[in-house]
Amino acid sequence: MIEPVRFELSAKDIPETWYNIAADLDYVAPVLSPATGKPVTRDEMARTMPEALADQEMSREPEFEIPDVVRQFYARWRPSPLARARGLEQALDTPAKIYYKYEGVAPTGSFKPNTAIPQAYYNKLAGRTGLIAETGAGQWGSAIAFAAALFGMDAKVFMVNVSFQQKPYRRALMETFGAVCTPSPSAETEAGRAILKEFPDHPGSLGIAKSEALQTAFSDPRWGYTRGSALNHVCAHQTVIGQEAITQMDMAGDYPDIVVGCAGGGSNLAGLAFPFLRAQLNGGPNVRLIAAEPAACPSLTRGRIAYDYSDTVGLTSLTRTHTLGHQFVPPAVHAGGLRAHNIAPLISRVVEEGLMEAVALRQKDCFEAGVMFARTEGIVPAPESTHAIRGAIDEAIRCREEGVGKTILFGLSGHGNFDLSAYERYLGGTLADDSIDPEALEKGMASIPKTGNE
Amino acid sequence: MIEPVRFELSAKDIPETWYNIAADLDYVAPVLSPATGKPVTRDEMARTMPEALADQEMSREPEFEIPDVVRQFYARWRPSPLARARGLEQALDTPAKIYYKYEGVAPTGSFKPNTAIPQAYYNKLAGRTGLIAETGAGQWGSAIAFAAALFGMDAKVFMVNVSFQQKPYRRALMETFGAVCTPSPSAETEAGRAILKEFPDHPGSLGIAKSEALQTAFSDPRWGYTRGSALNHVCAHQTVIGQEAITQMDMAGDYPDIVVGCAGGGSNLAGLAFPFLRAQLNGGPNVRLIAAEPAACPSLTRGRIAYDYSDTVGLTSLTRTHTLGHQFVPPAVHAGGLRAHNIAPLISRVVEEGLMEAVALRQKDCFEAGVMFARTEGIVPAPESTHAIRGAIDEAIRCREEGVGKTILFGLSGHGNFDLSAYERYLGGTLADDSIDPEALEKGMASIPKTGNE
């Protein structure tokens, strides 16, 4: 007789709807047009994305039906496993029970395809023949390359030049799926050319890559511009994670006291946490929700709630969220996906309302947790995911110290197979620790626009 | 309503026994001692491996019970998924149904942990505190590093020097699991020192690494030497693959006409194919079993059936199998795992008895198949696994040409996340095609010892 450690569902258990937490919040701040300072209308929103996504973005309805085509593609790897981390529990000698929801089984190794697939679907439905995206560490670019391949669409990815040079395997992954991967800044766009003229060797940044992707998409109707995180509809798409997790915790005969997720743009955390919050807001058990963010880019713990742009240059609309300022530049930490200066407005709002906590964690502590997880559970986690592991371990240690056996669930948002160079540096003792740069913080804060809407 | 594409079992469906095909074959050639030329006794065999494994190695019983501890660890990722490749079917416009059994969900990304876990278990039971292995491409070393971590044992891996230099991420993976990874030839062993004295810059070979691992293990009883393929007990451990596949094909309401696996050392193919062969030998439906081997190292299609050593130097016992000669050196193909000069004796015997076919496939044709699979199914396959995909695609194309709708099952033995540099070269047009070197073939054939037992 073996003890169950993995709780598996089948294709019929894939959720039939995405959950939209905006329905359960008293207030959701409108998105503002940078030109007029007024709320963006539905028609304005639909200029930058398919109508179906614009509707989801602005909706206060609690549920969006998941199209069958999308569920059919989800069935390639979903439902993802939920597992009990018995090896980790033993190593920590904790009375806590630790579970994790593992998104690394997705073909590109992270949670990103959960939204890449529906974004491809709605863009194709709207007549687009190609998908366009910017990417830093490469997770989002890979997911879009994958989704485009499945829908028979073209894919074009602007990849931050320094990552393009340093991560040839991520690039090779996207190209294997058939995507065209362009180092940014490039000579293909006005934004890129302007920067190259002044700095021919510019290493690039996510903000620049985003500007290039936006300019390309908005100048040619064949392309659909896609979003990897932060937006309301992206958070909704990710709620398949938490909905499945609730069913699986039930299979395990358990329910979490604490749910931890890593927080960059916020959609992975939202996907895991919001369905539990929904249950709580509708009379279910209270759950402590914890956002684990990097100390080097601590929007929730050090940022200000204000209207700000999502890109460096100021091409996007303004959203009200925790922000370090759109010109904040984090130090070169390796948790590539957690470098956003601001966070999903819905996560921000939930934190503001006191429904979620946030902790800022340092990189070396996170890698230590990641290595411990690898050696006890057998999976090398993505650097981003090590933040959630660190957060969970800290809570499990507290349980040991206090002698209480809580149930902890964390999100293992992806595997680290493409990030082994960072582990190599960590194990070799050459990985720099990270902390926030006070000057960068000051410069960032000064860049928050004064809209009078704070 | 969505169509099922993935057939998932739960932990209770993990097989309770390993299947040993030696029980169902009329003749199994004895292993010979190179010193005496006589059959190796059970006590001699038990000098190089735990008694329990020596018993399995020499057994003619059909089943070995899987210890609960092993099944418990299997439950971390097993049962592995079986999926219907509908995207690939559509792209090929074939009336064939194509299924694949996917072993890439294992923590190290391939089928190897299926035997690494029990080998760790039996070695620990026998009082060993560490596991030792040689590795080329890194699949076996990673699996041993992983298994050792789970059992709280040390791991030492001799890695072919050229791979050690070229595959720093594989090395980092092993080190993240806590293994010590040594480039071979090394100064740590007599075998290594002898070679370094003559050739200080020797790139290493799997044969040399094996000699170093054997010398280290046999000189210190703390270490247990482990085997990644070829041996009877290794083939048996892998039969969890085929046993699960039979149950899953049944869930799909189907049964294969054709089963294809890639063939290097042979254990992955054995694991998938032997349970189907068992069914056939016991009155079940006939299945065409196909071994897909690389044209650059074609032991089954170009080798001779003879007694030969398994290493380059001649330290191992002699086994009767298809061999290209123990001094055969394949050209530097990238399908790293398929470079063995000989094959599992049980696979060899099954081919000799006409129960399995073999095809030799060229590298570029295999990568073409691998890219097609990635773009239609979303998973980048290991270069080794692309041989099985090519074999399956060729059969599906034949079905289209002949207008017959057969059911094809192939083994997707692992993912290609660690092999993207090979895809980069393939897509960039710089991947060399491979073919057998006539001189190497002649030299190899001449190295087959004359034992009078052919």
Side-chain angles (χ1 to χ4, degrees):
Chain A
M1 192 53 201
I2 60 176
E3 275 181 304
V5 288
R6 227 171 33 131
F7 304 92
E8 286 281 9
L9 304 170
S10 58
K12 66 174 174 35
D13 304 306
I14 295 171
E16 293 179 7
T17 58
W18 291 300
Y19 168 56
N20 174 31
I21 201 170
D24 286 317
L25 297 178
D26 292 332
Y27 176 72
V28 177
V31 175
L32 301 185
S33 156
T36 64
K38 288 195 183 141
V40 168
T41 64
R42 189 259 188 198
D43 286 351
E44 285 169 339
M45 186 76 82
R47 272 179 223 147
T48 71
M49 62 183 77
E51 294 194 356
L53 291 177
D55 286 339
Q56 291 179 5
E57 187 61 28
M58 304 184 79
S59 170
R60 300 291 296 266
E61 291 299 313
E63 289 173 357
F64 311 138
E65 197 183 329
I66 307 180
D68 273 355
V69 180
V70 172
R71 293 180 76 228
Q72 184 70 61
F73 278 120
Y74 278 172
R76 298 275 184 103
W77 75 94
R78 302 209 73 82
S80 68
L82 181 136
R84 172 115 181 243
R86 287 188 183 270
L88 181 61
E89 289 172 16
Q90 279 169 24
L92 292 170
D93 190 24
T94 177
K97 286 186 275 186
I98 307 176
Y99 295 86
Y100 60 94
K101 176 74 170 165
Y102 183 39
E103 292 294 309
V105 294
T108 65
S110 87
F111 66 105
K112 295 285 189 189
N114 296 337
T115 186
I117 295 287
Q119 289 191 52
Y121 169 77
Y122 289 117
N123 272 286
K124 187 164 185 174
L125 216 60
R128 314 287 189 178
T129 60
L131 299 176
I132 201 155
E134 74 275 2
T135 203
Q139 294 278 22
W140 181 236
S142 308
I144 280 299
F146 161 70
L150 293 187
F151 280 93
M153 301 172 82
D154 297 327
K156 184 168 180 65
V157 179
F158 286 96
M159 187 171 186
V160 176
N161 189 32
V162 61
S163 302
F164 186 90
Q165 306 301 338
Q166 284 175 0
K167 299 197 163 204
Y169 296 164
R170 266 287 174 195
R171 200 174 82 217
L173 179 63
M174 293 184 248
E175 289 170 353
T176 300
F177 285 131
V180 173
C181 200
T182 306
S184 165
S186 80
E188 290 183 20
T189 68
E190 213 176 295
R193 284 189 296 269
I195 288 162
L196 286 177
K197 197 176 165 190
E198 206 170 341
F199 310 100
D201 298 323
H202 199 289
S205 75
L206 204 52
I208 297 168
K210 187 175 221 152
S211 304
E212 291 207 276
L214 284 166
Q215 284 188 347
T216 307
F218 296 161
S219 68
D220 184 341
R222 285 174 306 172
W223 292 111
Y225 176 73
T226 60
R227 281 95 176 163
S229 193
L231 276 79
N232 298 2
H233 68 273
V234 177
C235 291
H237 297 165
Q238 294 295 349
T239 61
V240 289
I241 302 174
Q243 292 183 67
E244 289 175 8
I246 289 176
T247 311
Q248 288 165 313
M249 289 301 297
D250 190 54
M251 279 175 80
D254 231 328
Y255 198 83
D257 301 299
I258 299 168
V259 170
V260 192
C262 61
S267 66
N268 148 67
L269 171 63
L272 177 65
F274 286 175
F276 287 97
L277 187 52
R278 178 188 205 181
Q280 175 181 323
L281 293 172
N282 289 279
N286 271 4
V287 180
R288 263 183 71 206
L289 303 178
I290 303 176
E293 65 179 10
C297 194
S299 58
L300 287 170
T301 53
R302 302 281 297 269
R304 197 147 66 78
I305 300 176
Y307 269 98
D308 200 0
Y309 300 101
S310 296
D311 66 331
T312 322
V313 207
L315 287 176
T316 68
S317 11
L318 293 157
T319 52
R320 184 177 181 278
T321 177
H322 285 76
T323 180
L324 297 162
H326 64 280
Q327 283 175 15
F328 173 77
V329 179
V333 294
H334 300 286
L338 308 179
R339 295 170 61 82
H341 67 274
N342 64 5
I343 197 154
L346 290 172
I347 288 281
S348 172
R349 183 69 199 170
V350 160
V351 170
E352 189 180 1
E353 290 196 13
L355 297 167
M356 180 185 279
E357 306 164 30
V359 290
L361 302 170
R362 292 177 69 108
Q363 172 151 282
K364 279 193 183 170
D365 297 334
C366 293
F367 269 92
E368 183 195 34
V371 169
M372 185 175 200
F373 186 79
R375 292 182 184 177
T376 53
E377 293 295 321
I379 299 171
V380 178
E384 294 88 343
S385 314
T386 63
H387 292 75
I389 301 175
R390 179 80 258 171
I393 287 178
D394 287 348
E395 292 298 326
I397 290 172
R398 192 163 303 138
C399 285
R400 182 181 68 208
E401 287 166 353
E402 296 174 0
V404 284
K406 291 191 178 152
T407 298
I408 302 165
L409 166 65
F410 72 86
L412 187 62
S413 56
H415 64 58
N417 290 356
F418 300 113
D419 304 284
L420 284 163
S421 64
Y423 279 93
E424 197 183 8
R425 272 172 287 166
Y426 171 73
L427 293 169
T430 61
L431 186 75
D433 210 351
D434 56 338
S435 61
I436 197 162
D437 174 353
E439 264 184 55
L441 187 61
E442 200 177 321
K443 188 184 165 200
M445 285 301 189
S447 73
I448 299 174
K450 304 217 174 345
T451 59
N453 281 291
E454 283 82 4
Chain B
M1 190 55 200
I2 60 176
E3 274 181 305
V5 288
R6 230 171 30 131
F7 303 91
E8 285 282 9
L9 304 170
S10 59
K12 65 172 175 38
D13 304 306
I14 295 172
E16 294 180 6
T17 58
W18 291 300
Y19 167 58
N20 174 30
I21 202 170
D24 286 317
L25 297 178
D26 292 333
Y27 176 71
V28 177
V31 174
L32 301 184
S33 156
T36 65
K38 287 193 183 145
V40 168
T41 66
R42 189 259 189 197
D43 286 353
E44 285 169 339
M45 187 76 82
R47 272 180 222 149
T48 70
M49 63 183 77
E51 293 193 357
L53 291 177
D55 286 340
Q56 290 180 6
E57 187 60 28
M58 303 184 80
S59 170
R60 300 293 295 267
E61 290 300 313
E63 287 173 358
F64 312 138
E65 196 183 329
I66 307 179
D68 273 355
V69 181
V70 171
R71 292 181 76 229
Q72 185 70 63
F73 278 122
Y74 278 171
R76 299 274 184 100
W77 76 94
R78 303 210 72 82
S80 68
L82 181 136
R84 173 116 180 240
R86 287 189 184 269
L88 181 61
E89 289 172 15
Q90 277 168 25
L92 292 170
D93 190 24
T94 176
K97 288 188 273 186
I98 307 176
Y99 294 87
Y100 59 94
K101 176 74 170 163
Y102 182 40
E103 292 295 308
V105 294
T108 64
S110 87
F111 67 104
K112 294 285 189 189
N114 296 337
T115 186
I117 295 286
Q119 289 191 53
Y121 169 78
Y122 289 117
N123 273 286
K124 186 163 186 175
L125 215 62
R128 314 285 189 178
T129 59
L131 299 177
I132 201 155
E134 74 275 1
T135 204
Q139 293 279 21
W140 181 236
S142 307
I144 280 300
F146 161 70
L150 294 188
F151 280 93
M153 301 172 82
D154 297 327
K156 185 169 178 63
V157 178
F158 286 97
M159 187 169 185
V160 176
N161 188 33
V162 61
S163 302
F164 185 89
Q165 306 301 339
Q166 284 175 1
K167 299 198 163 205
Y169 296 164
R170 266 287 174 195
R171 200 175 83 218
L173 178 64
M174 294 185 245
E175 288 170 355
T176 300
F177 286 130
V180 173
C181 201
T182 307
S184 165
S186 79
E188 291 183 20
T189 68
E190 214 175 294
R193 284 190 297 271
I195 288 163
L196 286 177
K197 197 174 164 191
E198 208 171 339
F199 310 101
D201 298 322
H202 198 290
S205 75
L206 205 52
I208 297 168
K210 186 175 222 152
S211 304
E212 292 206 275
L214 284 165
Q215 284 187 348
T216 307
F218 296 162
S219 68
D220 183 340
R222 286 175 304 174
W223 292 111
Y225 176 73
T226 60
R227 280 94 177 164
S229 192
L231 276 78
N232 298 1
H233 68 272
V234 177
C235 290
H237 297 163
Q238 294 295 349
T239 60
V240 290
I241 303 173
Q243 293 182 66
E244 290 174 7
I246 288 177
T247 311
Q248 289 164 311
M249 289 300 299
D250 190 51
M251 281 175 79
D254 231 327
Y255 199 83
D257 300 300
I258 299 169
V259 170
V260 192
C262 62
S267 66
N268 148 66
L269 170 64
L272 177 65
F274 286 176
F276 287 97
L277 186 51
R278 178 188 204 182
Q280 175 181 322
L281 294 172
N282 288 278
N286 271 4
V287 180
R288 264 184 72 206
L289 303 177
I290 302 177
E293 64 179 10
C297 193
S299 58
L300 287 170
T301 52
R302 304 281 296 269
R304 198 147 65 78
I305 300 176
Y307 270 99
D308 199 359
Y309 300 101
S310 297
D311 66 331
T312 323
V313 206
L315 288 174
T316 67
S317 13
L318 293 157
T319 51
R320 184 177 182 278
T321 178
H322 285 75
T323 180
L324 297 162
H326 64 280
Q327 284 175 15
F328 173 77
V329 178
V333 294
H334 301 286
L338 308 179
R339 295 171 61 83
H341 67 275
N342 63 6
I343 197 155
L346 291 172
I347 289 281
S348 171
R349 185 67 200 169
V350 161
V351 170
E352 190 181 1
E353 290 196 14
L355 298 167
M356 180 184 280
E357 305 164 30
V359 290
L361 302 169
R362 292 177 70 110
Q363 172 151 281
K364 281 193 184 170
D365 296 334
C366 293
F367 269 91
E368 183 195 35
V371 168
M372 185 176 200
F373 186 78
R375 292 183 183 177
T376 53
E377 294 295 319
I379 299 171
V380 178
E384 294 87 342
S385 313
T386 63
H387 291 75
I389 300 174
R390 178 79 258 172
I393 287 178
D394 287 347
E395 292 298 326
I397 290 172
R398 192 162 303 135
C399 285
R400 181 181 67 209
E401 288 167 352
E402 296 174 359
V404 283
K406 291 192 179 152
T407 297
I408 302 166
L409 167 64
F410 71 86
L412 187 61
S413 56
H415 63 58
N417 290 356
F418 300 114
D419 305 284
L420 284 163
S421 63
Y423 279 93
E424 198 182 8
R425 271 171 289 165
Y426 171 72
L427 293 169
T430 62
L431 186 75
D433 211 351
D434 56 339
S435 61
I436 197 161
D437 172 354
E439 264 183 53
L441 186 61
E442 199 177 322
K443 189 184 165 200
M445 286 300 187
S447 73
I448 299 174
K450 303 214 173 349
T451 60
N453 280 292
E454 284 83 4

